[in-house]
Amino acid sequence: MSEAATLRAVPVAELSVEDARIEHASLASEIAEHDVRYHDEDAPTITDAEYDALRRRAVEIEAQHPVLAAESTLAGKVGAKPSSKFKKIVHAVPMLSLDNAFTEVDVEEFVARVRRFLDLRADAPIAFTAEPKIDGLSLSIRYEGRKLVHAATRGDGAEGENVTANALTIQDIPDDLPRDAPDVVEIRGEVYLSKQAFASINERQAAAGRPLFANPRNAAAGSLRQLDPKITAARPLKFFAYSWGETSAPIAGTQHEALARLDDWGFYVNPLTKVCASVAEMIEAYRRVGEMRADLEYDIDGVVYKVDDLSLQRRLGFVSRSPRWATAHKFPAERATTVLEDIEIQVGRTGSLTPVAKLRPVTVGGVVVSSSTLHNEAYIAGLDNEGLPIREGKDLRVGDHVTIQRAGDVIPQIVDVDIARREAGSSPYAFPETCPVCGSHAVREVNPKSGKEDAVRRCTGGLICQAQAVERIKHFASRAAMDIEGLGDERIEDFHRDGLIRTPSDVFTLRRRQESGEIDLTAREGMGRTSVANLFAAIDDRRTVPLEKLIHGLGIRHVGETNAKLLARHFRSLPAIREAALAPGGTEAIVAAITGIGPIVSAAVVEFFLEEHNLQEVDRLLAEIETTAPAAPTESPVTGKTVVFTGSLEKMSRDEAKAMAERLGAKTSGSVSRKTDLVVAGPGAGDKLTKANALGIRVIDEAGWFELVGAA
């Protein structure tokens, strides 16, 4: 488990800025781990509902603390990097994910957002389709000249794995399309296994003494991603078509008409899909499918709503990692009772001591749950961070019978304790005040702004704490940072324990030390000449990396992937960042120079470079690594400019106009200042127009905007 979230028992509205930052970083790390487990390893430890809830919590924190949105490592991320086992295919149209709704109120808000964006009256008719959300593996199948040319998994949304040979074994996928199909078309849908087929596969796994699949989704993903197509062919995979990517000609005018056409072409589309004219009809469709869920031959985890009119879908477009015109209404949480067998303390790379519940394994909805974060010592005691009771004030003790929940705000979460079954003489859990790894004192620091004690207890060992050093190197080598193949967590732990790597730069000296005879990796258990040569090749492959990857890998506090990109785009080299950080007034200068970088992030960058040992490590890394600066953004007349829209717009809504500007590389703002470059003013423009004129800022109308950007 990654460095766990520490404050998730606290309502988002009650989080301080610093507490929000701590939890937001924890969520980003945890989500990244689950992305790899789900998309790359086909072995998720949580369900889609649990994963979605982690993202929802992160989004709620960003909404409450907007500065974190600019620093977020989550925006725009879909899936995980494609496996190196398969060749890659770049998707002509990205395969994005969906936002989620968990309540009827969420569905109502989704429809309201669509109406606001399109500037539709509350009584203006708009239809949605409602279709079951299949719990399988997303697949995109490309046809050219009506012949199947390749099939690819979602991957990271931009590129996926080439599984064409395996897809050709699935009977539900036609090799050819009829003559009325477009010359080029990508059909997208979900590969899945029926419940009966899943049971049969697990029976064969058990008979052969092989591990069982946790659920049909894992089995389907593992089957499709076999290197030997014969194995895939032996498993009865199925395919539901529900969407499309690139097409050389329009398919239809509406979503439901397009599905009917896919059906005509020989694909299976879900017969339970329904067109709805109101929120009430959408909720009714959701309830109807939910009642049928147990009797369906395939697993589903909710219902997907899509705007039916495809022209409206195009207007709505996309935001971050998902379309504005669709959402997934997820089914509610599932619960189970088990035993809390132990409480372990894990030390993260920032020194945080995080308690983890070790549970007697229990299957909930097809997934085995054996651990759960316990957040912090107050949570174990049955209190929130304000000292108020949670779980009716019941504390958690080893040996307790507990109820766990697999979806919701905290996942997996212990939601109740059966005090009646508590063993006589059991003692409250005593949270350690020393680090279990290095023995250093562990303290709860006092927030200088609020005067409150932090919820997290941290090891003061810093440079001597092996757990922190190991976690920093793991982060450096991880997929999100330097992405060094073959240097996984276990190998890093082994190498660090034996003194082979103590700092990130040591990774790049392994080959020289091996060739000089200083070390001999081939003598290590499980590492022959071939594996050592492969490791060296993987390390050498990362001697030239994008600058943002190296910045992220340094592990600067508060600098995730997004902030690393912002720094890389502005400064273009690591020495330039160092120079700016060490210059007088560096914190303020960085904030002033980069939109999206606030004072806390800037101060963290400055503090990092003020540490002499960090400067030395950066020099060692730069002696081994070359970096490439980010490509310049696509130019448009408004690239890099700050634009303000005010007054009424006639051709599109305000939200639609802002989205258009951002796609063209502009920044949008809700207020006029001296940093504003352009104001687009429609009828009824008021104070913003007055201020723009007073400041001498260029003002144009809506027609002028379309002419400026070449969309008139």
Side-chain angles (χ1 to χ4, degrees):
M1 181 179 290
S2 64
E3 182 178 351
T6 56
L7 301 165
R8 278 173 239 171
V10 180
V12 170
E14 298 178 13
L15 291 173
S16 68
V17 173
E18 184 59 26
D19 287 347
R21 287 185 180 281
I22 292 170
E23 183 181 355
H24 191 266
S26 169
L27 283 163
S29 175
E30 191 170 345
I31 288 168
E33 282 195 18
H34 290 310
D35 279 341
V36 173
R37 290 172 183 165
Y38 185 96
H39 294 280
D40 193 30
E41 300 172 359
D42 299 324
T45 53
I46 62 174
T47 64
D48 286 352
E50 297 169 347
Y51 175 87
D52 293 337
L54 291 177
R55 276 194 173 273
R56 182 173 62 159
R57 176 80 172 178
V59 169
E60 289 174 356
I61 290 174
E62 290 175 6
Q64 189 74 21
H65 302 276
V67 67
L68 296 180
E71 303 167 10
S72 177
T73 63
L74 303 175
K77 290 189 68 176
V78 177
K81 180 182 177 182
S83 170
S84 58
K85 296 188 299 182
F86 297 91
K87 292 183 178 179
K88 310 300 188 295
I89 290 180
V90 176
H91 298 303
V93 175
M95 293 186 72
L96 302 182
S97 187
L98 294 173
D99 273 341
N100 297 308
F102 295 92
T103 66
E104 293 182 13
V105 172
D106 292 340
V107 177
E108 291 171 353
E109 176 55 28
F110 162 66
V111 174
R113 284 198 306 271
V114 168
R115 289 185 178 278
R116 283 197 301 270
F117 190 92
L118 298 172
D119 200 19
L120 295 177
R121 302 187 315 274
D123 60 348
I126 182 170
F128 295 83
T129 57
E131 63 185 67
K133 185 176 184 298
I134 310 300
D135 192 9
L137 182 73
S138 296
L139 185 70
S140 181
I141 310 157
R142 185 177 179 89
Y143 294 84
E144 295 179 1
R146 287 163 286 280
K147 301 285 186 182
L148 193 158
V149 294
H150 66 234
T153 62
R154 182 198 303 274
D156 62 4
E159 65 177 11
E161 300 152 343
N162 187 337
V163 291
T164 307
N166 295 343
L168 286 168
T169 70
I170 302 175
Q171 293 184 0
D172 291 355
I173 297 176
D175 295 345
D176 306 283
L177 298 184
R179 296 180 65 181
D180 67 330
D183 184 62
V184 174
V185 63
E186 292 176 342
I187 305 301
R188 293 177 174 178
E190 208 80 1
V191 175
Y192 68 98
L193 276 169
S194 70
K195 295 175 182 177
Q196 182 177 357
F198 169 67
S200 297
I201 288 174
N202 262 353
E203 287 176 5
R204 293 198 295 272
Q205 291 286 108
R210 293 191 290 265
L212 302 185
F213 290 105
N215 53 47
R217 189 271 167 199
N218 288 17
S223 300
L224 184 64
R225 300 171 77 246
Q226 290 290 328
L227 295 178
D228 184 356
K230 293 179 181 178
I231 298 176
T232 305
R235 296 176 179 176
L237 293 174
K238 292 179 164 297
F239 180 76
F240 267 131
Y242 56 69
S243 185
W244 55 94
E246 183 180 25
T247 63
S248 58
I251 293 179
T254 65
Q255 180 77 24
H256 78 271
E257 290 170 349
L259 293 179
R261 199 163 183 206
L262 297 185
D263 182 64
D264 291 340
W265 293 346
F267 293 96
Y268 285 99
V269 299
N270 201 299
L272 299 179
T273 300
K274 181 182 178 182
V275 179
C276 305
S278 66
V279 171
E281 290 186 16
M282 294 162 71
I283 298 300
E284 177 55 32
Y286 170 83
R287 290 175 178 167
R288 177 173 56 85
V289 170
E291 291 170 356
M292 302 170 62
R293 183 181 183 188
D295 298 322
L296 295 174
E297 68 164 3
Y298 45 84
D299 275 352
I300 61 174
D301 57 2
V303 169
V304 177
Y305 306 122
K306 299 176 183 176
V307 172
D308 192 39
D309 187 322
L310 299 186
S311 66
L312 295 183
Q313 286 190 14
R314 287 189 289 272
R315 283 183 58 190
L316 285 158
F318 302 87
V319 57
S320 183
R321 61 190 285 273
S322 57
R324 290 189 181 91
W325 43 265
T327 195
H329 190 177
K330 293 302 190 71
F331 291 130
E334 297 178 82
R335 294 186 174 191
T337 300
T338 187
V339 176
L340 175 56
E341 295 186 325
D342 196 8
I343 296 176
E344 294 183 355
I345 302 295
Q346 296 182 350
V347 183
R349 66 185 177 93
T350 62
S352 60
L353 271 59
T354 301
V356 176
K358 308 308 290 183
L359 304 168
R360 183 173 297 168
V362 60
T363 299
V364 187
V367 174
V368 177
V369 175
S370 59
S371 63
S372 167
T373 180
L374 294 177
H375 309 300
N376 52 52
E377 53 198 278
Y379 184 86
I380 295 175
L383 303 172
D384 66 15
N385 293 326
E386 300 297 331
L388 300 175
I390 56 174
R391 298 187 306 272
E392 299 178 344
K394 302 172 188 173
D395 69 330
L396 298 175
R397 304 182 185 185
V398 173
D400 277 348
H401 287 76
V402 296
T403 300
I404 60 170
Q405 179 171 288
R406 295 182 52 247
D409 290 334
V410 186
I411 302 168
Q413 177 187 21
I414 294 177
V415 295
D416 200 8
V417 183
D418 190 347
I419 298 296
R421 301 176 69 181
R422 176 171 283 174
E423 296 178 2
S426 68
S427 302
Y429 179 75
F431 202 92
E433 296 185 357
T434 58
C435 174
V437 175
C438 70
S440 298
H441 190 47
V443 300
R444 293 173 66 179
E445 298 174 350
V446 176
N447 188 312
K449 293 183 178 179
S450 65
K452 289 173 51 180
E453 202 174 38
D454 284 347
V456 185
R457 191 175 290 273
R458 296 182 185 275
C459 167
T460 59
L463 297 177
I464 68 166
C465 184
Q466 193 171 96
Q468 293 181 63
V470 168
E471 292 303 318
R472 287 191 173 105
I473 298 172
K474 286 181 184 178
H475 170 74
F476 177 81
S478 69
R479 291 178 183 272
M482 294 293 289
D483 191 16
I484 301 175
E485 291 283 348
L487 197 60
D489 289 357
E490 290 186 9
R491 182 161 287 175
I492 289 172
E493 290 171 359
D494 290 344
F495 282 9
H496 185 272
R497 182 188 61 245
D498 295 342
L500 297 176
I501 51 175
R502 292 293 182 182
T503 65
S505 60
D506 289 341
V507 172
F508 292 93
T509 66
L510 285 172
R511 181 191 285 273
R512 289 201 298 274
R513 286 183 281 155
Q514 174 79 11
E515 292 173 348
S516 70
E518 180 183 343
I519 61 175
D520 184 8
L521 297 184
T522 61
R524 300 180 68 83
E525 183 178 354
M527 291 194 70
R529 292 184 180 277
T530 300
S531 62
V532 170
N534 289 341
L535 175 61
F536 288 162
I539 293 171
D540 289 342
D541 185 56
R542 307 308 289 165
R543 288 185 184 275
T544 299
V545 294
L547 175 59
E548 62 265 27
K549 290 285 189 180
L550 177 56
I551 295 171
H552 187 213
L554 294 176
I556 302 172
R557 192 163 170 79
H558 304 305
V559 176
E561 291 176 85
T562 298
N563 284 331
K565 289 178 182 177
L566 291 174
L567 290 165
R569 286 171 187 163
H570 180 79
F571 287 107
R572 316 293 290 175
S573 74
L574 201 55
I577 300 175
R578 176 172 56 192
E579 182 180 350
L582 297 179
T587 299
E588 294 77 12
I590 293 173
V591 171
I594 307 177
T595 300
I597 295 288
I600 292 179
V601 176
S602 180
V605 173
V606 171
E607 288 168 5
F608 175 85
F609 285 103
L610 285 174
E611 289 286 347
E612 183 61 31
H613 71 273
N614 288 338
L615 292 174
Q616 294 170 0
E617 179 62 9
V618 166
D619 285 339
R620 286 192 289 265
L621 283 169
L622 291 177
E624 304 287 344
I625 299 170
E626 293 183 4
T627 60
T628 57
T634 303
E635 290 295 323
S636 81
V638 294
T639 298
K641 297 185 181 299
T642 300
V643 181
V644 173
F645 292 90
T646 183
S648 300
L649 302 179
E650 298 174 351
K651 292 186 178 181
M652 60 175 62
S653 68
R654 187 84 59 81
D655 286 341
E656 197 170 354
K658 288 180 178 179
M660 181 182 185
E662 289 165 2
R663 286 197 301 271
L664 294 169
K667 308 180 189 75
T668 61
S669 175
S671 60
V672 174
S673 70
R674 295 187 182 278
K675 293 183 178 181
T676 304
D677 297 296
L678 177 67
V679 171
V680 181
D687 292 343
K688 294 177 185 177
L689 176 58
T690 302
K691 187 172 182 180
N693 288 327
L695 293 174
I697 295 168
R698 182 184 178 190
V699 177
I700 59 176
D701 59 13
E702 187 176 8
W705 164 257
F706 282 109
E707 182 179 353
L708 174 65
V709 300

